[in-house]
Amino acid sequence: MGVCSKLAFTRYVRSGRKPEPDPRLWQGDARFGRVPVRVYCPRAPSAGLRPGAIFFHGGGWVYCSIDSHEKICRYIARESGSVVVSVGYRLAPEHKYPAAYEDCLNATIHFMNNVEYYGVDPARIITCGDSAGGNLAAAVSQTLAGRSDLPKLRAQILIYPGLQVLDFNLPSYQQNRGVPLLLRERAAFFALQYLNGDASNVEEVLEGSHIPPDMRLKYRKWVSPDNIPEKFKVRGYKPHKPHEFKAEVYETVKRLCEPSLCPLLAEDAVVHQLPESFILTCEYDVLRDDGLLYKKRLEDNGVPVTWYHLEDGFHGVISLFDYYGFRFSAGKRGLDSVVKFIKGL
């Protein structure tokens, strides 16, 4: 009808309606430098300093906002007794990689440098995110792992994160290729939109033509179906042979392999320094195996990992724990597992 673009309309629909104020929470909008944030703090008195969780919303780096994840952040703050900071990072394709990553990193550093203002314990700062936000939380955690001029992160919480773009034919991608809310093709589409705002090479990326053979061999120790437990292959898996390498496609998308976009490819020296981690995966999710592979990498490097797997979960289910009349018990269980982890820190 020419009223607005498809992108603008979808963003509007996904933003949701802002719920009524919660009398149990204080919340307010602010800016950490140039990055908009919303801060949630329980009104109930605390015996001491609180944990502080900086939250990055999902949405494929293209959709969603602070408003779309309002209920999730309120729930975490209220039930865990922590201060939650939700970050409104810039979205693709208008703002290409590394804009979202840089916004999340800068907001986290600002928070770390000002935790006393929010009554947060500097020894209990957590990065947290779902889907693309889980990717951003992992990338930020890696960047901060070696910083001696900032408080050390206490933990990272990765909720069905997308962590690699080398292989879109892992068992979970094959089994769940047509399962809502994230289809296999859309996972690659979103990554390319974030990278350079151009998804014209999505078919080549899906079939593996975008990775040079030597690079694929180098990273096979970390990104391989051989590292996925056999019980996750029983629903069906057929080994995939990548299509012929296309150098011109690789030149267009080669930044996909940078660890700040593809955290699963970080070197062991970085992974070894990461904080205690919580990873949530869903059985019916194309990104399930990304979480499983990262869990293995963390454990292989001596990082304590709490893993929570929703056997009846699907991608995005956390957002549907209480969604305007729709309530999925798996989403509530997943969110409660996050709260339990925070309370145990």
Side-chain angles (χ1 to χ4, degrees):
M1 296 176 63
V3 176
C4 65
S5 69
K6 179 181 177 181
L7 179 64
F9 178 74
T10 307
R11 283 179 178 166
Y12 172 76
V13 171
R14 291 197 178 196
S15 67
R17 294 175 301 174
K18 190 172 182 180
E20 292 296 315
D22 188 332
R24 294 164 291 183
L25 294 174
W26 174 90
Q27 71 179 64
D29 292 344
R31 282 190 173 269
F32 286 0
R34 293 182 296 178
V35 183
V37 301
R38 184 169 295 159
V39 182
Y40 306 84
C41 183
R43 291 187 183 275
S46 174
L49 297 175
R50 299 181 183 274
I54 189 150
F55 185 91
F56 312 127
H57 66 79
W61 304 281
V62 173
Y63 297 119
C64 297
S65 63
I66 290 174
D67 286 340
S68 68
H69 284 61
E70 173 99 344
K71 285 190 174 182
I72 291 176
C73 291
R74 285 185 179 187
Y75 190 91
I76 293 174
R78 186 177 66 244
E79 300 300 322
S80 70
S82 59
V83 174
V84 175
V85 177
S86 184
V87 178
Y89 57 84
R90 289 171 291 171
L91 299 176
E94 301 95 323
H95 304 284
K96 302 174 183 60
Y97 169 78
Y101 159 74
E102 289 176 343
D103 285 355
C104 292
L105 176 62
N106 291 334
T108 304
I109 292 173
H110 180 100
F111 184 52
M112 287 178 146
N113 284 325
N114 294 275
V115 288
E116 70 282 352
Y117 179 79
Y118 299 99
V120 166
D121 183 350
R124 288 192 291 167
I125 299 172
I126 306 155
T127 57
C128 180
D130 68 311
S131 192
N135 169 282
L136 294 165
V140 168
S141 296
Q142 289 181 1
T143 301
L144 297 177
R147 293 280 296 263
S148 58
D149 58 324
L150 294 167
K152 185 176 177 60
L153 285 174
R154 177 64 181 86
Q156 60 175 348
I157 296 173
L158 313 179
I159 302 169
Y160 36 72
L163 300 168
Q164 63 86 29
V165 289
L166 265 71
D167 191 345
F168 287 91
N169 294 281
L170 293 168
S172 61
Y173 274 103
Q174 293 187 18
Q175 296 163 4
N176 304 305
R177 62 187 304 135
V179 178
L181 299 169
L182 182 63
L183 311 184
R184 173 175 174 266
E185 180 273 334
R186 297 301 284 176
F189 172 85
F190 286 137
L192 291 170
Q193 286 289 312
Y194 178 39
L195 176 68
N196 54 28
D198 179 7
S200 59
N201 295 125
V202 67
E203 288 302 323
E204 290 89 347
V205 170
L206 286 170
E207 296 303 331
S209 301
H210 64 306
I211 301 297
D214 59 334
M215 181 178 291
R216 188 177 297 279
L217 184 62
K218 173 185 176 181
Y219 290 124
R220 185 170 175 80
K221 59 186 175 181
W222 298 331
V223 184
S224 170
D226 296 340
N227 293 341
I228 304 296
E230 290 301 315
K231 68 179 181 178
F232 292 105
K233 301 174 185 177
V234 296
R235 288 201 292 121
Y237 169 65
K238 182 179 179 180
H240 176 265
K241 183 179 180 180
H243 286 198
E244 183 179 355
F245 170 60
K246 296 182 179 180
E248 68 277 13
V249 175
Y250 171 68
E251 285 302 316
T252 303
V253 304
K254 60 184 177 182
R255 293 195 73 188
L256 282 174
C257 298
E258 294 180 6
S260 51
L261 196 154
C262 196
L264 194 53
L265 302 188
E267 295 297 328
D268 284 338
V270 174
V271 177
H272 178 73
Q273 299 181 71
L274 289 172
E276 182 176 352
S277 303
F278 175 96
I279 298 177
L280 183 143
T281 54
C282 294
E283 180 60 29
Y284 300 99
D285 180 7
V286 292
L287 300 183
R288 180 197 68 198
D289 293 350
D290 284 26
L292 295 177
L293 291 173
Y294 203 47
K295 171 180 177 288
K296 183 179 189 308
R297 285 218 61 203
L298 291 165
E299 291 173 339
D300 287 349
N301 279 275
V303 178
V305 178
T306 297
W307 172 52
Y308 193 85
H309 184 63
L310 290 169
E311 294 282 358
D312 56 345
F314 54 88
H315 193 81
V317 72
I318 295 293
S319 296
L320 301 178
F321 85 101
D322 182 12
Y323 190 76
Y324 308 111
F326 291 95
R327 290 181 174 84
F328 287 83
S329 61
K332 176 70 160 51
R333 294 197 311 274
L335 204 50
D336 283 340
S337 70
V338 171
V339 168
K340 180 180 177 181
F341 176 77
I342 294 174
K343 293 174 75 171
L345 295 175

